[in-house]
Amino acid sequence: MLGFVVLFLCAAPSYGNQVAIVIDDIGNHERDLELLDLPGQLSYAILPHTPFSQRFAYQATHKRRELLLHIPMQALEDKALGPGALTLDMRKWQLQTTLGHALATLPQVKGVNNHMGSALTQYVEPMKWTMELLKKRGLYFLDSRTTELSQAQHVANLYGVANVARHVFLDNQTHPDALRRQFDQLKALAHQQGYAIGIAHPYPQTRAFLATALSELATEGIELVPLSQLVEHKYIQLAAVKHSAQTSE
């Protein structure tokens, strides 16, 4: 359990130039296991009930890599969601049972993020049911921000669930030039605001790119950290702001 105190404040966090990179969509292919050979403290979001989810989680835990549950959520487009999906036609008990079962299969996870979800995350009610369960489990939520209309972080704050949001998708395009642009954007954000969160996918092109590009982070004074470290820093900073405001009254 992370045990964060969620505060309804906004502040510019001081992280000291840190980056978290989450690799989504893990579990469908045996080649996903090769991503654990990438250097540094990457985080991995595992799709539930997939052929290699358990094997990946076991090996990742032994390598002390951070894991998230990558829970499928209904998209605006009619896309196949895969097993364990949360949909708009579910009642509360159905959604929480489905999510709870997925979490039970991956007890190693520290947080949850959405796989797709451009439809579901726009609706407050299913987000309430989701955050209610995450609060009970002491898990954080990463909003992948597949829609600008997402209600996920707003509802997470209401329920006291620690949360952060994605800044950059690294590989919406997998051409080397596109990967370079997105990675440079991630680094620039880390320098500008002290931290940045990127999401990537288990594409062969992405793996090859990161195998060489990740070394740039340390060279440029950026630390690659598990996502939970950025989540924790966020709430430490918010608590410090609140304490400062109270003592100055």
Side-chain angles (χ1 to χ4, degrees):
M1 177 176 289
L2 293 173
F4 300 118
V5 178
V6 178
L7 304 171
F8 303 98
L9 297 170
C10 294
S14 55
Y15 295 89
N17 295 349
Q18 293 181 331
V19 156
I21 297 175
V22 179
I23 301 183
D24 277 354
D25 297 352
I26 296 294
N28 277 316
H29 306 286
E30 187 171 16
R31 65 174 180 267
D32 294 348
L33 297 165
E34 298 174 2
L35 293 161
L36 290 169
D37 295 329
L38 288 170
Q41 286 297 316
L42 295 165
S43 303
Y44 301 88
I46 304 178
L47 289 162
H49 317 301
T50 47
F52 295 94
S53 59
Q54 297 298 313
R55 188 171 162 192
F56 190 97
Y58 175 81
Q59 292 190 18
T61 300
H62 276 266
K63 292 193 173 186
R64 298 186 178 182
R65 301 295 180 89
E66 183 156 317
L67 299 177
L68 296 85
L69 172 67
H70 194 42
I71 192 71
M73 295 184 182
Q74 187 169 329
L76 290 170
E77 304 83 6
D78 186 21
K79 294 181 177 179
L81 298 173
L86 310 181
T87 58
L88 286 168
D89 60 354
M90 285 181 167
R91 298 181 179 181
K92 178 179 180 179
W93 70 268
Q94 292 174 307
L95 186 146
Q96 291 190 336
T97 298
T98 302
L99 178 55
H101 181 46
L103 288 168
T105 67
L106 292 165
Q108 305 94 331
V109 304
K110 289 190 174 183
V112 172
N113 73 329
N114 53 298
H115 173 58
M116 294 188 273
S118 55
L120 195 82
T121 59
Q122 292 189 34
Y123 288 84
V124 169
E125 203 69 9
M127 287 298 97
K128 285 182 178 179
W129 304 337
T130 299
M131 298 308 164
E132 183 179 280
L133 187 56
L134 298 192
K135 178 63 176 179
K136 290 178 181 178
R137 302 293 181 93
L139 300 171
Y140 66 77
F141 186 79
L142 165 64
D143 190 350
S144 300
R145 297 292 295 174
T146 55
T147 171
E148 293 182 357
L149 302 177
S150 174
Q151 299 297 310
Q153 285 192 280
H154 169 67
V155 177
N157 287 334
L158 292 177
Y159 276 79
V161 173
N163 62 88
V164 287
R166 180 269 314 165
H167 295 111
V168 178
F169 277 123
L170 292 176
D171 54 4
N172 280 345
Q173 300 178 47
T174 57
H175 187 276
D177 290 343
L179 288 165
R180 168 53 57 190
R181 284 194 300 271
Q182 295 302 97
F183 192 69
D184 287 347
Q185 182 184 355
L186 187 73
K187 292 189 295 181
L189 282 172
H191 286 301
Q192 290 166 14
Q193 62 186 24
Y195 77 112
I197 297 169
I199 288 180
H201 300 85
Y203 306 136
Q205 301 94 323
T206 302
R207 179 179 176 274
F209 176 82
L210 290 177
T212 58
L214 287 174
S215 62
E216 298 172 16
L217 297 176
T219 301
E220 298 181 26
I222 300 171
E223 182 184 9
L224 179 63
V225 299
L227 182 59
S228 62
Q229 189 165 322
L230 292 188
V231 178
E232 185 173 3
H233 276 308
K234 172 182 175 180
Y235 290 95
I236 290 173
Q237 181 70 10
L238 289 173
V241 172
K242 182 179 181 182
H243 177 74
S244 178
Q246 290 174 339
T247 55
S248 64
E249 289 177 356

